[in-house]
C-alpha cells in the first residue's frame, strides 16, 4: 500500500511521475525497516523458530535488494507498474488456490515441501526476492510468504513471522542503494537521497504500533481466512 499511496500523493502535488515513483519506492523500503522489525519482535515472542531462517534468507536479501535499488532508477515507471501488478495478481490467485485445499493438507504442509532448506535454495530465493524488493519497494513479504508455504512447506503463520525477519533485513540493502543513487539528485526537500524523511517520520509514527498489533492478531485468525484477506489485498494493490 505504501508505494502506490505515496505515488498518488506525490503526483497529485505536481511532482514528476518518474521522481515520484522512485521516491515512493525508496521511502517505502525505509519505512519497512522499523515496521517489519516491530512485527518480527512480536512474532518471535510466539515462535522462536522464525529467527534462524529469517536471518539466513535476509543476508542474501540485503545483497539482492541493494542491486535492485541500483537498477530501479534506470527502469521506466510504466514498466515498474506493470511488473508490480502482474506479480501481485499471480500471487493473489495462488493464495486463493491454496486456501481451497483441505485443512489436512495445510496441517501436513511441512512434509510436502518441494525444496530443501539449504544454502543454495536460500541464496537463490533470498537474492531473487531481495532484487524484486529493491525494484518495487515492497519489502518482499508478498513474495517470500508464498515461497515459504508452497516450496518449503512452512505453515502460513510461521512463514509470516519468518518473512517479517527477512524483510526487516532486506529493506536495508535497498535503502542504502537509493540513498547513494539519489544523493545530490533528488530535488525534494527533507530527503536523504531518494528517501523522503518527512513521509518516513509521519508514516512510521503510525505503522510501527499497527505492525505489532497486526502480528498479534495474525495468530488469532484462521489460516484460510488469512489467505483470502491476503489475496484480496494483493488484487486491490495490483488494480490500483
Amino acid at each position: 500500500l505504501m508505494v502506490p499511496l505515496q505515488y498518488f500523493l506525490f503526483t497529485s502535488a505536481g511532482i514528476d511521475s518518474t521522481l515520484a515513483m522512485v521516491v515512493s519506492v525508496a521511502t517505502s523500503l525505509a519505512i519497512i525497516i522499523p515496521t517489519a522489525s516491530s512485527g518480527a519482535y512480536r512474532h518471535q515472542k510466539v515462535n522462536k523458530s522464525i529467527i534462524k531462517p529469517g536471518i539466513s534468507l535476509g543476508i542474501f536479501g540485503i545483497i539482492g535488494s541493494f542491486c535492485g535499488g541500483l537498477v530501479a532508477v534506470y527502469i521506466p515507471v510504466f514498466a515498474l507498474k506493470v511488473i508490480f501488478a502482474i506479480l501481485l495478481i499471480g500471487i493473489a490467485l495462488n493464495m486463493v488456490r491454496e486456501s481451497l485445499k483441505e485443512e489436512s493438507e495445510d496441517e501436513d504442509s511441512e512434509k510436502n515441501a518441494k525444496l530443501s532448506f539449504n544454502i543454495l535454495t536460500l541464496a537463490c530465493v533470498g537474492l531473487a526476492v531481495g532484487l524484486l524488493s529493491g525494484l518495487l519497494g515492497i519489502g518482499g513479504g508478498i513474495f517470500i510468504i508464498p515461497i515459504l508455504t508452497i516450496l518449503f512447506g512452512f505453515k502460513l503463520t510461521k512463514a509470516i513471522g519468518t518473512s517479517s525477519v527477512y524483510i526487516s533485513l532486506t529493506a536495508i540493502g535497498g535503502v542504502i542503494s537509493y540513498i547513494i543513487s539519489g544523493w545530490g539528485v533528488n530535488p525534494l526537500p527533507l530527503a536523504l537521497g531518494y528517501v523522503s524523511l518527512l513521509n518516513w517520520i509521519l508514516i512510521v509514527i503510525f505503522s510501527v504500533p499497527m505492525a505489532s498489533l497486526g502480528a498479534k492478531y495474525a495468530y488469532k485468525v484462521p489460516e484460510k481466512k488469512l489467505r483470502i484477506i491476503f489475496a484480496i489485498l494483493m488484487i486491490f494493490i495490483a488494480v490500483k
Side-chain angles (χ1 to χ4, degrees), residues 3-237:
V3 173
L5 291 180
Q6 287 186 94
Y7 175 77
F8 296 143
L9 173 66
F10 285 130
T11 52
S12 66
I15 295 172
D16 176 73
S17 62
T18 299
L19 177 62
M21 188 67 177
V22 176
V23 173
S24 297
V25 169
T27 307
S28 175
L29 285 174
I31 293 166
I32 283 167
I33 296 173
T35 304
S37 297
S38 174
Y41 175 74
R42 170 71 69 172
H43 280 293
Q44 65 84 30
K45 290 179 70 175
V46 179
N47 188 354
K48 299 292 184 182
S49 66
I50 67 173
I51 301 298
K52 185 177 180 179
I55 292 176
S56 299
L57 284 164
I59 292 172
F60 294 103
I62 291 173
I63 299 171
S65 182
F66 181 84
C67 295
L70 294 179
V71 172
V73 296
Y74 300 104
I75 297 178
V77 173
F78 178 75
L80 284 176
K81 289 181 181 180
V82 172
I83 295 170
F84 197 106
I86 291 174
L87 288 173
L88 294 186
I89 291 172
I91 290 169
L93 293 176
N94 188 72
M95 293 301 285
V96 171
R97 181 183 66 82
E98 287 293 306
S99 71
L100 298 178
K101 289 184 177 181
E102 295 296 327
E103 287 186 13
S104 59
E105 291 184 62
D106 284 334
E107 291 171 2
D108 297 330
S109 59
E110 294 195 19
K111 297 179 182 179
N112 298 325
K114 297 178 177 63
L115 292 177
S116 59
F117 208 71
N118 55 47
I119 188 68
L120 179 60
T121 56
L122 282 174
C124 291
V125 171
L127 289 170
V129 176
L131 183 66
L132 289 171
S133 172
L135 276 174
L136 305 175
I138 48 180
I142 58 173
F143 303 114
I144 204 69
I145 290 172
I147 289 172
L148 290 175
T149 55
I150 298 165
L151 298 183
F152 292 112
F154 280 40
K155 293 283 289 182
L156 184 59
T157 48
K158 181 181 178 181
I160 292 173
T162 301
S163 76
S164 67
V165 177
Y166 169 77
I167 66 179
S168 63
L169 294 172
T170 300
I172 295 172
V175 169
I176 292 173
S177 67
Y178 281 110
I179 290 175
I180 293 173
S181 62
W183 196 266
V185 177
N186 182 10
L188 297 180
L190 296 175
L192 186 62
Y194 281 120
V195 178
S196 170
L197 296 179
L198 179 60
N199 281 25
W200 187 87
I201 293 170
L202 292 176
I203 298 175
V204 164
I205 289 173
F206 297 99
S207 65
V208 170
M210 289 299 101
S212 179
L213 186 65
K216 176 182 177 180
Y217 282 100
Y219 292 93
K220 297 183 179 181
V221 180
E223 278 205 24
K224 284 195 173 183
K225 288 185 178 179
L226 201 57
R227 289 180 189 275
I228 295 297
I229 292 171
F230 193 86
I232 292 172
L233 180 61
M234 294 305 99
I235 292 173
F236 173 76
I237 298 175

